[in-house]
Amino acid sequence: MTRAKGGPVRRFLQKYRMALGLGIPLLLFGILAALILNEGTAGFDTAVYQFLAGHITPQTTQIFVLLTNLCSPAFLIGLSILLLAFFLFRRRLYPALAIPINLLLSSVINSFAKSVFDRPRPDINQLVEAGGFSFPSGHSFVAISFYGFLIYLTARYCRGRYKYPIMVLLLLAIPCVGISRVYLGVHYASDVLAGFSLGGAWLAFYIFLAERIRHALEEKKGGFR
């Protein structure tokens, strides 16, 4: 009699990975939302901002402006177009379309979430201009949903010695964008954590959905993948 591969923990994680990928970040987002509605994050937000504000210099500000622009609409749209062209050239329809669709849906979901909570932005020294509401952070949401999806695509399609350096750079971009939003004074730290949480839940669901679509395309004879 042969034993099933992997231990009980591994089998549990494999069986319920979708539920865990959605449930854990959504639970964290719900906790943050409840705390914010009851003004329970004020001390945390103040402490994080004061720590970062103590390191404000013109040079550091320039670095964080560059980092925050990694999730600016112009940069993300331009990068999506380049990746769309690249994957179409490689006859990979699935990633070519999945990238811009993910960006579009991420923006829609985050805009809806902002409209639900209507949290004003911090009334502090804002080093860059930012409009709209504060919770959750759109840059943080898109950072994890967009660059997280690129990490997934890199793991699946990239080969050779550049695979892991690319994944590491994409991974580092996510927290850097979040920290930049607090440093620049346009978001509370709780906004950033909420953006990561909601964006992480969306990323888990989108990868799950995209995998189903990829398998369907692969089953078509002569179809793109």
Side-chain angles (χ1 to χ4, degrees), residues 141-190:
F141 184 108
V142 174
I144 196 168
S145 64
F146 183 84
Y147 289 110
F149 191 65
L150 292 187
I151 292 172
Y152 155 77
L153 291 178
T154 302
R156 175 164 294 281
Y157 290 105
C158 187
R159 299 292 182 268
R161 59 181 180 176
Y162 297 112
K163 176 178 180 177
Y164 292 105
I166 291 173
M167 293 175 67
V168 169
L169 288 175
L170 291 171
L171 182 62
L172 289 175
I174 296 172
C176 286
V177 169
I179 294 170
S180 74
R181 303 308 285 170
V182 182
Y183 173 93
L184 295 171
V186 293
H187 277 296
Y188 298 102
S190 53

Side-chain angles (χ1 to χ4, degrees), residues 114-115 118-122 126 129-136 186-187:
K114 283 179 179 289
S115 68
D118 291 350
R119 188 188 198 187
R121 290 188 183 272
Q126 296 186 2
E129 293 185 3
F133 296 113
S134 189
F135 181 90
V186 293
H187 277 296

Side-chain angles (χ1 to χ4, degrees), residues 23-218:
I24 293 175
L26 283 178
L27 176 62
L28 178 57
F29 178 79
I31 293 172
L32 288 167
L35 288 172
I36 286 168
L37 291 175
N38 292 280
E39 299 183 357
T41 64
F44 170 72
D45 291 330
T46 299
V48 174
Y49 175 72
Q50 287 180 346
F51 172 79
L52 293 175
H55 297 81
I56 291 178
T57 66
Q59 295 77 19
T60 307
T61 299
Q62 290 179 352
I63 293 173
F64 277 115
V65 168
L66 290 174
L67 290 172
T68 208
N69 283 335
L70 291 175
C71 280
S72 68
F75 181 82
L76 290 176
I77 291 172
L79 181 57
S80 296
I81 292 173
L82 288 175
L83 292 171
L84 172 67
F86 171 78
F87 280 112
L88 285 178
F89 178 77
R90 299 292 300 273
R91 292 180 61 83
R92 299 283 190 179
L93 182 61
Y94 152 71
L97 296 181
I99 291 172
I101 291 174
N102 179 35
L103 179 59
L104 175 62
L105 293 178
S106 295
S107 301
V108 171
I109 293 170
N110 185 258
S111 296
F112 175 76
K114 283 179 179 289
S115 68
V116 170
F117 291 94
D118 291 350
R119 188 188 198 187
R121 290 188 183 272
D123 185 18
I124 52 180
N125 179 30
Q126 296 186 2
L127 302 179
V128 294
E129 293 185 3
F133 296 113
S134 189
F135 181 90
S137 165
H139 276 63
S140 301
F141 184 108
V142 174
I144 196 168
S145 64
F146 183 84
Y147 289 110
F149 191 65
L150 292 187
I151 292 172
Y152 155 77
L153 291 178
T154 302
R156 175 164 294 281
Y157 290 105
C158 187
R159 299 292 182 268
R161 59 181 180 176
Y162 297 112
K163 176 178 180 177
Y164 292 105
I166 291 173
M167 293 175 67
V168 169
L169 288 175
L170 291 171
L171 182 62
L172 289 175
I174 296 172
C176 286
V177 169
I179 294 170
S180 74
R181 303 308 285 170
V182 182
Y183 173 93
L184 295 171
V186 293
H187 277 296
Y188 298 102
S190 53
D191 296 333
V192 170
L193 291 179
F196 285 154
S197 300
L198 191 60
W202 167 250
L203 175 64
F205 174 76
Y206 192 72
I207 289 177
F208 173 81
L209 181 63
E211 276 290 290
R212 296 298 182 273
I213 296 174
R214 183 180 67 84
H215 287 309
L217 289 173
E218 288 179 346

